Amino acid sequence: MATTKQLLLLRHAKSSWDDPDLIDFDRPLSGRGVKAAPLAGRELARHGWLPDLALVSPALRSRDTWRLVSAELPAKTPAKFVQALYEASAADVLAKVRQANAATSSLLVLGHNPGLEEFARRLAGAGSDAAA
């Protein structure tokens, strides 16, 4: 009997555009993002959506989101910071998901739009509720 796998997709929390001299990769979270990320972690825990592994874009806002989210989870979750998830297309995200260890039963991918959103849209398929 096949084991059900779980894939969790999470976009980084709201980032700051306050410093125009920073390159995109180094943009931090905004105040709103710092408040929202722990809430996302609590929601993951509340629903029992607990990843065995997190694949995280190494951009500062993604790393900070993961730090705040994972602090709310009941167990420490290993994270791999994956350069290919920064500015990733939907195909790039799929490639990284496919490369995950077969023993991973619940995988969280934390990255950026538009690639992450497009990946989710492709997974949902044409018959899905567009508003969802």
Side-chain angles (χ1 to χ4, degrees):
M1 178 179 230
T3 303
T4 301
K5 302 273 187 168
Q6 182 177 58
L7 177 62
L8 305 165
L9 303 178
L10 183 62
R11 182 190 174 270
H12 63 78
K14 179 74 175 156
S15 60
S16 173
W17 292 88
D18 290 346
D19 186 345
D21 293 330
L22 283 179
I23 62 170
D24 181 71
F25 189 86
D26 293 334
R27 284 192 299 111
L29 294 178
S30 68
R32 186 172 122 196
V34 169
K35 289 178 187 175
L39 295 174
R42 287 196 286 279
E43 280 299 297
L44 289 172
R46 185 173 74 83
H47 288 285
W49 299 332
L50 306 175
D52 300 326
L53 174 66
L55 301 180
V56 180
S57 161
L60 178 60
R61 59 194 177 274
S62 299
R63 288 182 284 135
D64 285 349
T65 298
W66 176 244
R67 178 179 49 80
L68 294 167
V69 166
S70 65
E72 300 296 327
L73 302 178
K76 183 165 175 54
T77 301
K80 290 184 182 176
F81 298 96
V82 180
Q83 184 64 40
L85 290 176
Y86 178 66
E87 298 184 332
S89 68
D92 296 332
V93 176
L94 176 60
K96 291 304 165 192
V97 167
R98 284 184 169 160
Q99 290 173 0
N101 185 324
T104 301
S105 63
S106 181
L107 177 67
L108 183 140
V109 178
L110 197 161
H112 310 267
N113 281 343
L116 201 60
E117 183 178 344
E118 177 60 26
F119 178 65
R121 189 175 294 117
R122 288 182 186 182
L123 286 176
S128 297
D129 180 346

Coordinates of all heavy atoms in Angstrom, one line a residue, residues 44 67 87:
L44 N 0.3 26.0 11.0 CA 0.8 24.6 10.5 C 0.7 23.6 11.7 O 0.2 22.5 11.5 CB 2.3 24.8 10.1 CG 2.5 25.5 8.7 CD1 4.0 25.7 8.5 CD2 1.9 24.7 7.6
R67 N 12.8 30.9 10.0 CA 13.2 30.9 11.4 C 12.0 31.2 12.3 O 11.8 30.5 13.4 CB 14.3 32.0 11.6 CG 14.8 32.2 13.1 CD 15.8 33.3 13.2 NE 15.5 34.6 12.5 CZ 14.7 35.5 13.0 NH1 14.1 35.3 14.2 NH2 14.4 36.6 12.3
E87 N 14.2 33.0 -7.1 CA 13.8 33.3 -8.5 C 13.4 32.0 -9.3 O 13.6 32.0 -10.5 CB 14.8 34.1 -9.2 CG 15.1 35.5 -8.5 CD 16.1 36.3 -9.3 OE1 16.9 35.8 -10.0 OE2 15.9 37.6 -9.2

